[in-house]
Amino acid sequence: AKLTRGAAPIKMNIPLAQLLLLQTTACLHMRVQSISCEYPRNHARRMQLVSMGIFDTLKGSFERLTDWRVARASHILLKGFDEQTLEQMAAWKEEINGDPDKFASIARERSQCPSNTRGGDLGFFTRGKMVKEFDEVVFTKEPGGVYGPVRTNFGNHLIFLHSCREPNDS
């Protein structure tokens, strides 16, 4: 992990980065607790909720920074958000039935993403490189399956997860 101080980057190992994150979170929590004692009950409750939101954000950042897994996925993108789009994707999902070659064929013919020339193949990537909704599927589901439709700002996706592994695994 790299931190910057002024213009010079500071290199540190992951355990040290984890310790700093936990220490920052603990300090923030203690500050919110002290504010809770100084202010009326309703305001204190709002501050606790804010601190939990910050904690959840920090926890998500922590997971992204320390999750070294590498995934490979393909997708079919349709830019529509209507019911017809979802029905079409459900029909394709049933037709594909876990077959990577069938998935690639449909992606070449129907996907509205430039990756359609590669059968929807997005290559290898780490957590945080794709939009949150996409990452959520890729880094929590089992490889070899077709997942979705997954809605993002780009449209709806069917995702074929080829693999998700530690960088040293083959």
Side-chain angles (χ1 to χ4, degrees):
K2 278 188 180 180
L3 294 178
T4 56
R5 175 191 241 171
I10 302 169
K11 290 185 180 180
M12 66 176 65
N13 58 24
I14 293 301
L16 182 56
Q18 291 171 339
L19 179 63
L20 284 173
L21 183 62
L22 290 172
Q23 193 172 25
T24 302
T25 304
C27 289
L28 176 65
H29 184 68
M30 287 185 343
R31 179 66 185 135
V32 169
Q33 292 302 318
S34 69
I35 290 172
S36 298
C37 295
E38 298 170 18
Y39 289 96
R41 186 179 195 134
N42 289 339
H43 185 71
R45 179 69 182 141
R46 278 187 295 227
M47 289 300 294
Q48 286 175 330
L49 292 174
V50 168
S51 75
M52 290 310 294
I54 293 170
F55 176 76
D56 290 342
T57 300
L58 287 173
K59 182 180 173 194
S61 297
F62 175 74
E63 288 172 352
R64 283 191 303 281
L65 289 172
T66 58
D67 187 352
W68 294 94
R69 291 179 297 163
V70 177
R72 178 173 170 238
S74 298
H75 78 136
I76 298 170
L77 169 67
L78 290 182
K79 295 183 179 179
F81 294 102
D82 58 355
E83 192 63 36
Q84 183 180 359
T85 299
L86 297 176
E87 289 172 5
Q88 180 63 66
M89 293 193 114
W92 287 341
K93 185 176 179 179
E94 190 174 316
E95 182 182 342
I96 292 165
N97 197 27
D99 181 359
D101 295 327
K102 186 67 176 171
F103 188 96
S105 173
I106 292 175
R108 276 188 201 90
E109 296 169 9
R110 301 297 184 95
S111 182
Q112 296 173 339
C113 177
S115 68
N116 64 3
T117 59
R118 298 183 306 276
D121 193 348
L122 298 169
F124 291 93
F125 54 90
T126 55
R127 185 182 284 273
K129 298 296 182 188
M130 301 292 174
V131 294
K132 182 180 177 182
E133 300 87 355
F134 205 93
D135 264 7
E136 184 67 30
V137 170
V138 170
F139 290 96
T140 59
K141 302 294 185 181
E142 287 294 316
V146 178
Y147 303 100
V150 176
R151 185 182 176 141
T152 70
N153 289 339
F154 298 100
N156 282 289
H157 309 256
L158 280 183
I159 301 170
F160 185 87
L161 182 55
H162 298 278
S163 65
C164 185
R165 59 180 172 74
E166 294 295 327
N168 299 348
D169 296 347
S170 42

